[in-house]
Amino acid sequence: SLKSYENTQNALDTNLNKRTKSIYTPLELQFIEMKKQYKDAVLCVECGYKYRFFGEDAEIAARELNIYCHLDHNFMTASIPSHRLFVHVRRLVAKGHKVGVIKQMETAALKAAGENKSSLFSRKLTALYTKSTLIGEDILFKQLDDSVDVEEVTTDVPDNYLLCCCENGENLRGRKKGDIVIGIMAIQPTTGEVIFDCFRDSASRSELESRVLRLQPVEIILPSRLSDESEKLINSITSM
């Protein structure tokens, strides 16, 4: 029927690379769907005994990790061995990238014994790493082997604080222009340490500056609305 034909055409259009007019592979389609959810992350996709990068992620990995990148079907691709994952994740994070680890949810043995042995491995995001959240099973030291140099994985910032701040400039008695009440909270995920404070600051933001410089956070979470004075100060600190 005409409706059935149109549905088939829509499915084909979804699976077709409009630039090259070639069909996406099932793995490429799976990557495309995952990338839509995590657009700002470099995704490492588990494929058997290695992790693969696709598209722009592969080009970033090739540049930052000094590995080979080549065209495979519709995407540029690069790969790393599974046992070296945590080393490369740390290197990418150290360069300022957010890194997502996509793992296979099925083992080859279980899949071979199941009814869906000819289908694609199911995969999902199991970890998302940034400079302040570099913790998890993939980067534990217990995974070190003889081929890994300890210095490769012990170069992190000692106090990798994640800092969040918010402001309230309303209902301040005797308020001067630029005065504001600021609340901050800093956490260190690796140790569980939490630091919080609330204080009144002047237009120079000297109190905020002293706390940020003291904590030296590796990441800062800001509210959607921030005063010009605070934004200027934070921009000057982070640019250093």
Side-chain angles (χ1 to χ4, degrees):
S1 66
L2 178 60
K3 186 175 181 181
S4 176
Y5 172 77
E6 288 176 347
N7 289 338
T8 302
Q9 286 300 109
N10 289 336
L12 287 174
D13 289 342
T14 303
N15 296 347
L16 189 68
N17 184 328
K18 294 180 180 180
R19 182 175 60 84
T20 63
K21 305 301 182 182
S22 60
I23 302 296
Y24 286 117
T25 67
L27 178 59
E28 289 175 340
L29 289 172
Q30 190 180 59
F31 168 76
I32 290 171
E33 289 303 311
M34 291 185 292
K35 192 63 179 178
K36 287 179 182 177
Q37 301 177 56
Y38 310 103
K39 297 178 180 179
D40 60 340
V42 175
L43 298 182
C44 313
V45 183
E46 185 179 19
C47 300
Y49 296 104
K50 60 185 177 181
Y51 281 85
R52 294 181 64 184
F53 303 90
F54 296 92
E56 291 184 4
D57 293 351
E59 295 177 16
I60 291 172
R63 182 177 66 251
E64 305 289 17
L65 304 176
N66 195 26
I67 59 177
Y68 179 63
C69 179
H70 66 281
L71 182 64
D72 184 16
H73 292 91
N74 295 287
F75 286 104
M76 297 299 290
T77 186
S79 63
I80 55 174
S82 294
H83 72 279
R84 299 280 294 182
L85 172 67
F86 69 104
V87 174
H88 293 303
V89 165
R90 284 172 177 263
R91 287 174 175 168
L92 288 170
V93 168
K95 297 287 187 178
H97 300 286
K98 180 186 292 186
V99 181
V101 176
I102 307 287
K103 288 196 172 182
Q104 295 177 178
M105 295 293 102
E106 306 165 285
T107 64
L110 288 176
K111 191 170 181 61
E115 296 179 355
N116 62 337
K117 57 185 178 181
S118 60
S119 64
L120 187 68
F121 277 95
S122 63
R123 295 178 173 89
K124 74 174 185 179
L125 184 88
T126 60
L128 193 61
Y129 297 114
T130 59
K131 279 191 175 183
S132 66
T133 59
L134 196 59
I135 57 176
E137 60 174 313
D138 297 312
I139 50 87
L140 289 177
F141 290 151
K142 68 180 182 180
Q143 293 191 11
L144 286 171
D145 57 32
D146 295 337
S147 63
V148 178
D149 185 351
V150 175
E151 291 185 359
E152 289 184 297
V153 293
T154 56
T155 57
D156 296 341
V157 178
D159 298 320
N160 54 332
Y161 286 105
L162 170 62
L163 176 69
C164 177
C165 71
C166 60
E167 299 178 330
N168 184 359
E170 301 175 359
N171 302 322
L172 286 180
R173 291 183 179 180
R175 178 186 176 189
K176 297 179 181 179
K177 185 178 180 180
D179 283 9
I180 207 162
V181 171
I182 300 177
I184 65 168
M185 177 171 286
I187 63 170
Q188 191 171 171
T190 51
T191 63
E193 182 182 3
V194 178
I195 298 173
F196 57 91
D197 194 6
C198 183
F199 51 92
R200 182 168 177 167
D201 209 349
S202 63
S204 65
R205 297 294 186 268
S206 57
E207 294 294 327
L208 176 61
E209 181 180 18
S210 65
R211 286 160 175 79
V212 174
L213 292 177
R214 168 65 182 85
L215 292 169
Q216 290 290 306
V218 293
E219 283 189 87
I220 302 178
I221 299 177
L222 301 176
S224 57
R225 296 180 62 186
L226 194 67
S227 64
D228 293 339
E229 295 86 355
S230 296
E231 186 171 0
K232 183 178 180 180
L233 170 69
I234 291 175
N235 284 338
S236 66
I237 293 175
T238 54
S239 65
M240 295 166 59

